[in-house]
Amino acid sequence: MKKNIFSVILTLFISSYYCQTVVSSCVASDSVVNSYRDDIDRLCLRRSFHVNSTWKDSVFIDTTLRSRYLKALLAVYNATMLPARDTVINKCKIHVSPNPDTKTIFIAGDSNLVWLKNIRYNVSPCGKPVIDNAIIKYGLQKTSFSAPSWWNIHSVTYKKTNGNLNMYKLGLIFSAIPSSSGPNTTTIDGTDIEDSLNVNFTMLEYSYGWGDCWNGCMFRRYWQFKVFNDCSVEYIKSYGNAVPPNVAIKENEQLFSDVKVYPNPFNAKIRIDNLGSSSDRLSVFNTLGQTVFEVKGMVDKEIDLSYLSSGIFYLKLEKGFASRTFMIIKE
């Protein structure tokens, strides 16, 4: 019986090693959830255009997929046992591209237009119904007004202070007036997250771009994650240009390339050799992501894990932004 159990565990070990699938969680603190609010709405907006939904013609964003996107993003955020997660979350700080903006829109016109003068001097309503109605209906607030003395074209910027909108559609509505308008397209950020949906999982592809991103970025690196409905996460692969050392951790984990963790499977103690300089932290997690052992500033030594029950665990070494995770089996 014990031999059969070990065979099952070994099979799981081999499968998990090559697939790099870990148990994660779709729950996080309010601050983490709030940090992904804009990403979720932008993914929802993109999906409307991707599937040619009627929502693409609405100023409001279809948020029916908001819960699914939130769960997927939080699952990757919580998959701390995957080294690639440290790259996209901690070092590169990747979010959905903010361009075009879903919060701000500008209107520009001849400085002699009465309604534009009213906006400049905070006269409300300004006298242009399409603008006055939009301010009330969509909750817009004026954030800036530009009136250069050397140019007769003045411009005003409005912002959606609570939530996001399809500013491209709102710009089309404003195009009916004798002025120019559109969403803010000056925000430059090389990061992005793309998605594809399956009935059983959500694919998320994180990317980091650099080099003249004003014109689309000359270089880009991609990381793919598959998030299952139970919130487990599989790291698929990375590809694209090699990331500069000063931008992200080395994906080949060269810092810990000579480390040996043995015996594996083990009964009580595990030996960690060839650490070189000391590791900032060594942690052991169970399959639920719970920390069962942790030590800081360790050098080559043994750790006693005899108190653990039989099963699969993950041993993670960290130094700065570099990390490496080993799967270990307790007999």
Side-chain angles (χ1 to χ4, degrees), residues 206-230:
Y206 293 68
S207 70
Y208 184 91
W210 66 98
D212 193 20
C213 284
W214 286 92
N215 294 309
C217 297
M218 298 171 61
F219 310 100
R220 187 167 290 275
R221 185 74 178 175
Y222 302 85
W223 297 264
Q224 291 182 345
F225 298 86
K226 180 186 289 186
V227 182
F228 296 94
N229 294 340
D230 64 356

Side-chain angles (χ1 to χ4, degrees), residues 46 94-97 190-194 205-208 220:
R46 287 182 182 177
I94 296 177
H95 287 271
V96 177
S97 172
T191 73
D192 200 7
I193 304 174
E194 297 280 356
E205 183 174 78
Y206 293 68
S207 70
Y208 184 91
R220 187 167 290 275

Side-chain angles (χ1 to χ4, degrees), residues 67-306:
S67 176
R68 179 168 182 174
Y69 284 134
L70 176 61
K71 289 179 63 176
L73 290 168
L74 293 182
V76 173
Y77 178 88
N78 290 322
T80 55
M81 290 176 285
L82 294 175
R85 176 269 180 200
D86 290 339
T87 300
V88 301
I89 301 297
N90 289 341
K91 188 61 176 176
C92 292
K93 298 180 177 17
I94 296 177
H95 287 271
V96 177
S97 172
N99 191 24
D101 203 332
T102 54
K103 291 185 178 294
T104 58
I105 190 167
F106 71 90
I107 304 172
D110 192 305
S111 59
N112 293 315
L113 293 171
V114 175
W115 60 265
L116 194 55
K117 288 182 178 180
N118 287 338
I119 292 175
R120 178 181 181 182
Y121 296 109
N122 298 316
V123 177
S124 181
C126 72
K128 201 66 178 177
V130 66
I131 296 177
D132 292 328
N133 294 338
I135 291 174
I136 297 173
K137 184 175 182 179
Y138 304 118
L140 304 177
Q141 291 187 6
K142 186 179 78 171
T143 57
S144 66
F145 193 98
S146 177
S149 58
W150 48 268
W151 188 245
N152 67 338
I153 298 298
H154 292 178
S155 64
V156 58
T157 301
Y158 287 101
K159 184 173 183 178
K160 173 68 173 176
T161 57
N162 182 20
N164 297 287
L165 294 172
N166 180 356
M167 290 300 182
Y168 172 75
K169 179 60 180 178
L170 185 56
L172 293 179
I173 294 175
F174 284 166
S175 66
I177 60 180
S179 65
S180 61
S181 62
N184 176 26
T185 57
T186 60
T187 301
I188 301 301
D189 191 327
T191 73
D192 200 7
I193 304 174
E194 297 280 356
D195 76 287
S196 63
L197 305 181
N198 180 281
V199 66
N200 297 316
F201 59 83
T202 300
M203 286 288 295
L204 294 179
E205 183 174 78
Y206 293 68
S207 70
Y208 184 91
W210 66 98
D212 193 20
C213 284
W214 286 92
N215 294 309
C217 297
M218 298 171 61
F219 310 100
R220 187 167 290 275
R221 185 74 178 175
Y222 302 85
W223 297 264
Q224 291 182 345
F225 298 86
K226 180 186 289 186
V227 182
F228 296 94
N229 294 340
D230 64 356
C231 295
S232 59
V233 179
E234 178 184 347
Y235 172 56
I236 305 298
K237 65 178 180 179
S238 66
Y239 66 96
N241 303 109
V243 179
N246 63 325
V247 174
I249 66 172
K250 297 179 180 179
E251 292 182 274
N252 58 11
E253 302 165 335
Q254 289 181 354
L255 183 61
F256 298 117
S257 60
D258 296 327
V259 170
K260 295 182 179 180
V261 176
Y262 65 94
N264 194 16
F266 69 98
N267 289 313
K269 295 181 179 181
I270 278 190
R271 178 81 187 178
I272 299 95
D273 286 347
N274 300 330
L275 270 176
S277 59
S278 64
S279 171
D280 288 347
R281 184 171 65 173
L282 180 151
S283 306
V284 177
F285 304 87
N286 60 23
T287 56
L288 298 178
Q290 300 167 328
T291 303
V292 297
F293 179 87
E294 182 178 68
V295 62
K296 296 182 179 180
M298 71 167 292
V299 295
D300 296 0
K301 60 163 52 174
E302 284 184 336
I303 57 174
D304 187 351
L305 301 176
S306 58

